[in-house]
Amino acid sequence: MATETTPRFRTNAIYPPGEYLAEELEARGITQVALAKAMERPIQVINAIVKGRKAITAETAVQLEKALGIEAEFWMNLEMYYQLAKVRQSAQP
């Protein structure tokens, strides 16, 4: 029995999860400093995530969930797709 697969849309654009975090903070009027305090993390960590220099770990995802009410799975999925896209892009000739 043959199974049908739905083609997936892929883009060459790669956006680190920190860009989504920055947009969410802006939409809510929350500063990186306020988020860092809520998560009990150094501001440098939050800034590195926003700038795309630091990955969102499972621990950070859970802290974001508690601070923003956005499920940890959302943040982990963003990170996973970002990492996959980087690998695919670097593997292209």
Side-chain angles (χ1 to χ4, degrees), residues 2-46:
T3 59
E4 289 187 35
T5 58
T6 304
R8 291 186 174 218
F9 173 77
R10 286 199 183 139
T11 178
N12 290 332
I14 299 175
Y15 301 102
E19 285 192 27
Y20 295 99
L21 178 57
E23 290 174 7
E24 188 64 34
L25 294 177
E26 183 178 342
R28 294 178 184 219
I30 299 172
T31 65
Q32 290 181 31
V33 172
L35 179 62
K37 286 181 183 178
M39 292 173 59
E40 298 180 352
R41 298 291 294 271
I43 180 62
Q44 294 86 351
V45 170
I46 304 305

Side-chain angles (χ1 to χ4, degrees), residues 18-78:
E19 285 192 27
Y20 295 99
L21 178 57
E23 290 174 7
E24 188 64 34
L25 294 177
E26 183 178 342
R28 294 178 184 219
I30 299 172
T31 65
Q32 290 181 31
V33 172
L35 179 62
K37 286 181 183 178
M39 292 173 59
E40 298 180 352
R41 298 291 294 271
I43 180 62
Q44 294 86 351
V45 170
I46 304 305
N47 187 259
I49 291 170
V50 166
K51 299 286 184 186
R53 295 189 310 260
K54 183 169 178 51
I56 294 177
T57 63
E59 179 183 0
T60 301
V62 169
Q63 291 173 336
L64 287 168
E65 179 179 72
K66 289 178 182 176
L68 299 174
I70 299 172
E71 291 184 355
E73 291 83 0
F74 172 80
W75 299 109
M76 293 305 300
N77 283 332
L78 284 179

